[in-house]
């Protein structure tokens, strides 16, 4: 194994009382919890782009962190990044990773030169995977960074750009298949618009679906058995992103007959940008049988843009994991930390400290979610709240037997129903949640 993080020990579980910063307080990878080791329940993944590439640059200044990993030559740097990725996963007991094509190898002058660079790096990753047993959670193509995508990729008004995006996605799917990836993500980076004065929205959406159909057909043809995902996001970079939120994406998938092959990759920060809670988006995905994977992070409510912070809000992680439990756990998906240490947290050790914070927040959230389920008060309350639909007129409504005339007769006979309307008991339920979290 490489030694880029000399001095950082293998991170071990020491329990909530430890004062060792390089230890887990709640994540105990091999502890059996609800029938499986915690690492298999949570399926944590490293995001290659934030962890190995992002240097903390923002629109006011250049990067603060050094992610060159000691290399002077460009391709050596990317080989070092690959080796460093596996050292990070190893030290943190993380079994999965996710990447964009351009994270693992930089773009060259032409597409064929770029593909050659990918062909040089993929064996390095493959070799590391063989040695370590680490797995690819999902792959994706960066069809948003290069200026050619200024007006979109699949939704670009220029057919040449569509063709280029298709070629890039073809290669990214091939790499995903070669590395045994369980998923392939479409995040529509520039798939949206700024003004309808220059945009044919219907045509752009048709084209986006055409590109996805092409990708699915090709992926299945070359043996991809995993899930395709769309990752909803409402805004940023464009004002109107076509994949606004889970409901919008579901309508799109159904309209174009893509719902058999696609599930959703829900990101916490994208949910809040759409004006939803994280668990709302997860609930929409789950109840539509489209729950796939999670990009774990959190935004800053005072800033209102996509800050991709490491998740430390345990209310959020607990309610997220409650949805995951209700969905029956992860199958092909997992918890990918699409999160970056703050610009001011620029040291290599901050990579580890921020992952520890995020992993512990999810491990604690998972333990609390299991407590909520075992306690049963919240589930019982919800069940009882709808109990009038199990008998009498309610059962007839659910069975589709009640007609408008019958319902009118019923209501006329009742006179008024105000007396039987029950309280929502929100404050009580919130205090139950607090007692389960802190009691
Ligand atoms: C950007 C997205 C992106 C996707 C993968 O906001 O979160 O990183 O997860 O392309
Ligand atoms: Ca994401
Ligand atoms: Ca994000």
């Amino acid at each position: 194994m490489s030694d880029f993080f000399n001095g950082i020990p293998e991170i071990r579980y020491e329990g909530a009382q430890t004062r060792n910063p390089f230890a887990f307080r709640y994540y105990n990878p091999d502890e059996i919890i609800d029938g499986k080791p915690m690492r298999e329940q949570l399926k944590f993944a490293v995001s290659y782009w934030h962890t190995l590439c992002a240097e903390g640059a923002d629109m006011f200044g250049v990067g603060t962190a050094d992610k060159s990993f000691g290399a002077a030559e460009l391709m050596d740097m990317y080989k070092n990044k690959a080796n460093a990725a596996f050292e990070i996963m190893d030290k943190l007991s993380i079994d999965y990773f996710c990447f964009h094509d351009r994270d693992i190898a930089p773009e060259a002058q032409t597409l064929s030169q770029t593909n050659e660079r990918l062909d040089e790096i993929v064996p390095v990753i493959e070799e590391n995977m063989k040695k370590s047993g680490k797995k690819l959670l999902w792959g994706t193509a960066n069809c948003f960074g290069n200026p050619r995508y200024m007006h979109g990729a699949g939704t670009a008004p220029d057919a040449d750009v569509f063709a280029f995006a298709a070629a890039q996605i073809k290669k990214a799917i091939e790499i995903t298949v070669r590395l045994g990836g369980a998923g392939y993500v479409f995040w529509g980076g520039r798939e949206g618009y700024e003004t309808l004065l220059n945009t044919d929205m219907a045509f752009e959406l048709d084209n986006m679906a055409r590109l996805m159909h092409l990708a699915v057909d090709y992926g299945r043809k070359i043996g991809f058995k995993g899930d395709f995902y769309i990752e909803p996001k409402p805004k940023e970079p464009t004002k109107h992103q076509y994949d606004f939120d889970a409901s919008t994406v579901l309508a799109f998938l159904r309209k174009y007959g893509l719902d058999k092959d696609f599930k959703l990759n829900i990101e916490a920060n994208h949910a809040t940008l759409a004006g939803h809670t994280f668990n709302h988006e997860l609930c929409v995905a789950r109840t539509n049988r489209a729950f796939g994977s999670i990009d774990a992070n959190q935004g800053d409510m005072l800033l209102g843009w996509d800050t991709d912070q490491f998740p430390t809000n345990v209310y959020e992680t607990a309610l997220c994991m409650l949805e995951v439990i209700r969905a029956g756990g992860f199958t092909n998906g997992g918890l990918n930390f699409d999160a970056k240490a703050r610009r001011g947290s620029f040291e290599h050790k901050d990579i580890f400290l921020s992952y520890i914070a995020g992993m512990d927040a999810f491990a604690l959230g998972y333990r609390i979610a299991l407590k909520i389920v075992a306690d049963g008060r919240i589930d019982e309350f919800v069940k009882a709240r709808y109990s009038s639909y199990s008998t009498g007129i309610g059962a007839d409504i659910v069975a589709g037997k009640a007609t408008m005339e019958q319902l009118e007769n019923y209501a006329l006979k009742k006179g008024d129903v105000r007396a039987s309307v029950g309280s929502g008991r929100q404050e009580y339920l919130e205090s139950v949640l607090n007692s389960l979290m802190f009691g």
Side-chain angles (χ1 to χ4, degrees), residues 65-218:
D66 179 2
K67 301 274 176 84
S68 63
F69 298 102
E73 297 295 321
L74 187 67
M75 288 310 284
D76 287 343
M77 186 163 91
Y78 278 81
K79 282 177 196 157
N80 289 359
K81 283 182 196 287
N83 293 329
F86 285 84
E87 188 181 335
I88 291 170
M89 284 185 263
D90 206 64
K91 288 192 163 160
L92 284 164
S93 293
I94 294 183
D95 298 329
Y96 297 87
F97 62 105
C98 302
F99 60 76
H100 302 82
D101 48 0
R102 302 302 177 246
D103 307 332
I104 60 171
E107 193 156 0
Q109 282 303 311
T110 66
L111 183 62
S112 58
Q113 285 164 356
T114 304
N115 287 348
E116 277 166 27
R117 286 183 173 178
L118 284 165
D119 293 338
E120 196 180 329
I121 294 291
V122 169
V124 180
I125 295 179
E126 204 168 32
E127 189 57 32
N128 271 297
M129 288 174 77
K130 260 190 218 140
K131 274 196 222 141
S132 64
K134 305 289 177 200
K135 300 184 200 88
L136 176 60
L137 190 69
W138 51 259
T140 188
N142 176 336
C143 292
F144 45 86
N146 189 290
R148 81 176 67 85
Y149 296 123
M150 68 178 84
H151 304 306
T155 64
D158 308 86
D160 284 356
V161 176
F162 183 106
F164 203 101
Q168 201 182 318
I169 290 167
K170 174 177 175 288
K171 181 76 177 171
I173 295 176
E174 286 163 7
I175 294 169
T176 301
V177 171
R178 174 168 168 184
L179 298 179
Y184 184 87
V185 165
F186 280 82
W187 168 61
R190 307 257 171 209
E191 313 293 28
Y193 69 91
E194 298 296 329
T195 171
L196 282 176
L197 292 174
N198 65 12
T199 302
D200 183 341
M201 191 205 283
F203 184 73
E204 292 200 354
L205 284 163
D206 288 350
N207 268 356
M208 196 160 94
R210 285 186 183 105
L211 183 59
M212 287 180 185
H213 271 294
L214 286 166
V216 167
D217 291 348
Y218 183 71

Side-chain angles (χ1 to χ4, degrees), residues 268-281:
N269 202 167
H270 298 180
T272 50
L273 286 175
H276 300 307
T277 58
F278 185 20
N279 56 323
H280 166 92
E281 286 293 84

Side-chain angles (χ1 to χ4, degrees), residues 233 267 270 297 306 308 338:
K233 181 173 183 180
E267 179 176 317
H270 298 180
N297 61 17
D306 193 17
D308 285 346
D338 190 353

Side-chain angles (χ1 to χ4, degrees), residues 12 16 32 37 66 90 96 98 102 122 140 178 246 253 268 319 332 335 347 377 380 434:
R12 295 187 195 283
I32 306 292
D66 179 2
D90 206 64
Y96 297 87
C98 302
R102 302 302 177 246
V122 169
T140 188
R178 174 168 168 184
L253 292 173
L319 295 176
N332 282 331
L335 281 163
E347 294 176 0
R377 271 176 292 173
E380 279 157 24
N434 275 348

